[in-house]
Amino acid sequence: MQKDQILQSRQTDQPLDVLILAAGLGTRMKSARAKVLHKIGGLPLITHVGRTAMSLHPRKIYVIVGHQATEVENAVKEEFGGLAEFVMQAEQRGTGDAVMSANTYLENSDSLVVVLSGDVPLLKAETLDSFIGEHQKSGAVCSVLSVRLENPTGYGRVVRDDSDQFARIVEQKDATVEERQIKEINSGIYCFTADKLFSALARVQPTNEQGEYYLTDVPELLLADGEKVNVYLHHDPREVYGVNTRAELAEFENLVRRNTVRKLMLEGGVTFIDPSHSYISAEAEIGRDSIIYPDVAVEGKTSVGENCEIRSGTRITNSNIGDNVTIKDHCVIIDSTIESNCSVGPFAHLRMNAVLEENSVVGNFVEVKKSRLGRNSKSMHLTYLGDATIGERTNIGAGTITCNYDGKNKHQTIIEDDVKIGSDTMLVAPVRVGKGSITAAGSVVTEDVPPDSLVAGVPAVVKKRLVERNDEKKG
Ligand code: UD1
Ligand code: CA
């Protein structure tokens, strides 16, 4: 669904605020890190929720933070731009208390408050939009989004009255044996009229099994006030699963990953040899007719062009790969660019803005750091290229090292076009090898090599002027 459609299905005169609960530690994660910071698809849970919230074009997004507040803020600050208001809940006394932390902002507001949980990452914007649309149509002051679960264990149950209308929510721990049979559960996603929400919240008491202030008590209180409370039963329970344990985190990762790969196959025309062993970030793009072998990880904002072949054991992170590129087995490519028609690996390592220009080749056990390899150039075996700029049609022999570090500073190596660097050459930077030159095998190049020269030795000296020889031949 397009964003403008999303706006259309809502009444736009009532301001909309989103409130995201994200203060809890998530004890069942057995982690020192706050639950909402754990990642699926390479992004923190809170970021997934934040993106869904943003799609509603809210007036403000209130994020209730507590555990690792600064880290949680940092995870979504950029995403939210100026819309975010981070509210501290110093002590986690329950979901009701969490919402109460935002009362100074919202208690007198007539806005529509949409409450989301920071640990429910798969909710779709479309679902939320129809939920809000239904809520507004119903004239209720509170709507609860529910789903039916085959195994509702752990969730709050939606109790309905004799005429099948909403009666209350009861938490697992407070439920009777009969209530625990109920399969309709509270997703933890709600719409409220702001002032009604806060007037009811003020009356919530922690008189329950957990001694917490439950947000789930609010709908019942509103009902008792004679207000209308609505339940919206959603058909797809997977969207509202909350992450509570590492096992669930892994299940979600799997689900997200399967969806990403499936979409790339069905819509993107990408071949996966084994979809269940392919790890592609939701933010990555892969072009048509590319083939991804098992155990490839494509992370972050990576783009891979058309007709590429990526072999097993390779990891590509935040990089751009052109068309018709072959990446052989077990390469690590981070923050780098590989232009079209290149071949890389096996066992190559590209990092820190390495750039391979069109048609160039990097072979086995070659590391390229902060370096540019020009068009039609090759570095095939056992080489370190660091802080180097290499021209076109240049060949870097086996075992070449750019000695870029003198113990204090990094220095540049420049190798111009049409150069042949002999096997086992040490290029002691800063150094420049002129166009058309050759270094003999085993040279230690400590001084600039003029164009069209052959150097050899330790340290390397000019042995021959190649152009003169050519001129002599001509004469
Ligand atoms: C809650 C609901 C339950 C529902 C389930 C759906 C209550 C009392 N129960 O239970 O009915 O079925 O969600 O997933 O609301 N949080 C805070 N501050 C707190 C406590 C929690 O910010 O003091 C945050 C947590 O970080 C989390 C969210 O609120 O993001 C939900 O809290 P959690 O403890 O996971 O609630 P559940 O027990 O899952
Ligand atoms: Ca939960």
Side-chain angles (χ1 to χ4, degrees):
M1 188 184 281
Q2 296 299 308
K3 288 204 169 128
D4 46 344
Q5 277 176 292
I6 284 181
L7 273 179
Q8 269 166 21
S9 64
R10 282 207 320 254
Q11 291 171 17
T12 43
D13 49 348
Q14 189 181 21
L16 186 150
D17 295 310
V18 175
L19 201 150
I20 302 176
L21 304 184
L25 171 64
T27 318
R28 285 168 286 173
M29 294 296 282
K30 312 266 187 235
S31 175
R33 195 179 315 142
K35 176 161 72 178
V36 297
L37 292 172
H38 286 267
K39 292 178 180 178
I40 57 171
L43 293 175
L45 298 177
I46 183 79
T47 309
H48 289 269
V49 178
R51 288 189 176 176
T52 310
M54 283 302 279
S55 73
L56 299 172
H57 304 287
R59 178 176 70 175
K60 270 247 170 274
I61 299 178
Y62 297 91
V63 188
I64 313 299
V65 292
H67 281 279
Q68 294 185 301
T70 319
E71 288 84 346
V72 174
E73 278 189 46
N74 289 338
V76 283
K77 211 187 256 163
E78 235 174 81
E79 210 82 41
F80 291 168
L83 296 189
E85 191 76 59
F86 296 93
V87 184
M88 191 68 186
Q89 185 197 16
E91 206 187 319
Q92 282 71 54
R93 297 186 300 173
T95 48
D97 181 64
V99 174
M100 198 58 171
S101 324
N103 73 323
T104 49
Y105 298 96
L106 288 167
E107 64 184 339
N108 296 318
S109 167
D110 62 346
S111 69
L112 172 66
V113 178
V114 177
V115 176
L116 304 175
S117 273
D119 62 345
V120 178
L122 301 184
L123 180 67
K124 289 187 181 140
E126 294 94 297
T127 306
L128 203 48
D129 180 59
S130 355
F131 173 51
I132 296 166
E134 281 302 309
H135 168 78
Q136 291 187 312
K137 251 190 273 166
S138 73
V141 299
C142 164
S143 291
V144 178
L145 194 147
S146 73
V147 295
R148 293 183 67 85
L149 290 183
E150 266 323 299
N151 176 11
T153 311
Y155 287 92
R157 311 295 206 282
V158 174
V159 182
R160 292 180 181 254
D161 65 15
D162 295 338
S163 44
D164 211 31
Q165 298 301 301
F166 177 84
R168 63 203 170 85
I169 298 168
V170 61
E171 291 305 297
Q172 166 90 21
K173 287 191 176 141
D174 305 298
T176 61
V177 175
E178 294 83 61
E179 284 166 338
R180 289 186 186 183
Q181 303 307 310
I182 299 173
K183 291 195 183 320
E184 185 178 12
I185 63 103
N186 164 33
S187 68
I189 297 156
Y190 319 82
C191 288
F192 292 103
T193 305
D195 53 355
K196 303 281 183 191
L197 164 63
F198 286 94
S199 86
L201 259 184
R203 287 175 274 146
V204 169
Q205 293 300 317
T207 47
N208 49 58
E209 196 48 47
Q210 306 188 78
E212 287 185 355
Y213 293 86
Y214 285 171
L215 179 58
T216 45
D217 287 350
V218 166
E220 190 183 357
L221 286 168
L222 289 171
L223 207 61
D225 289 346
E227 302 286 1
K228 190 171 177 193
V229 176
N230 195 39
V231 185
Y232 178 91
L233 178 61
H234 183 54
H235 61 89
D236 186 357
R238 286 172 306 180
E239 280 184 51
V240 303
Y241 286 161
V243 176
N244 293 307
T245 64
R246 304 270 183 165
E248 283 163 1
L249 192 71
E251 277 169 35
F252 275 58
E253 179 74 46
N254 214 323
L255 203 69
V256 168
R257 184 183 351 131
R258 280 210 314 265
N259 287 342
T260 304
V261 169
R262 204 178 150 73
K263 200 169 162 206
L264 283 167
M265 292 194 289
L266 298 182
E267 292 170 28
V270 178
T271 295
F272 287 89
I273 303 293
D274 183 357
S276 60
H277 292 96
S278 299
Y279 309 87
I280 315 294
S281 107
E283 297 178 292
E285 289 168 19
I286 303 181
R288 207 169 47 162
D289 292 321
S290 284
I291 305 177
I292 313 294
Y293 280 75
D295 284 323
V296 166
V298 178
E299 301 180 333
K301 288 200 168 82
T302 290
S303 78
V304 176
E306 298 189 356
N307 246 328
C308 292
E309 184 176 303
I310 305 179
R311 288 289 185 148
S312 296
T314 288
R315 165 155 75 97
I316 309 175
T317 307
N318 295 323
S319 295
N320 294 309
I321 317 290
D323 299 329
N324 308 310
V325 171
T326 302
I327 299 176
K328 296 176 187 164
D329 314 57
H330 300 288
C331 292
V332 176
I333 298 162
I334 302 170
D335 300 328
S336 293
T337 300
I338 300 173
E339 294 182 0
S340 295
N341 304 312
C342 287
S343 170
V344 177
F347 301 101
H349 186 190
L350 274 57
R351 61 189 181 98
M352 290 178 85
N353 199 24
V355 178
L356 306 189
E357 291 182 8
E358 254 182 78
N359 229 11
S360 57
V361 186
V362 161
N364 46 202
F365 305 107
V366 174
E367 177 179 350
V368 186
K369 185 218 87 174
K370 255 192 190 173
S371 293
R372 172 178 282 268
L373 186 63
R375 291 216 266 168
N376 299 303
S377 289
K378 287 181 179 166
S379 175
M380 297 298 287
H381 335 265
L382 302 154
T383 287
Y384 175 57
L385 300 173
D387 305 293
T389 306
I390 295 145
E392 302 187 0
R393 297 173 303 278
T394 283
N395 188 66
I396 309 290
T400 297
I401 308 282
T402 54
C403 312
N404 60 333
Y405 187 49
D406 60 13
K408 277 201 192 116
N409 298 305
K410 297 276 164 70
H411 299 284
Q412 300 288 320
T413 298
I414 295 169
I415 304 172
E416 297 182 350
D417 296 344
D418 302 298
V419 167
K420 290 188 177 64
I421 300 291
S423 296
D424 216 8
T425 297
M426 303 290 120
L427 296 152
V428 184
V431 73
R432 172 187 288 267
V433 180
K435 189 174 181 341
S437 285
I438 299 175
T439 68
S443 305
V444 177
V445 182
T446 56
E447 309 234 309
D448 288 359
V449 176
D452 301 307
S453 321
L454 169 72
V455 296
V458 181
V461 293
V462 176
K463 299 284 184 190
K464 228 186 224 173
R465 296 290 301 184
L466 300 167
V467 165
E468 280 165 16
R469 187 194 58 185
N470 289 343
D471 288 350
E472 278 159 22
K473 268 190 191 162
K474 263 184 227 155

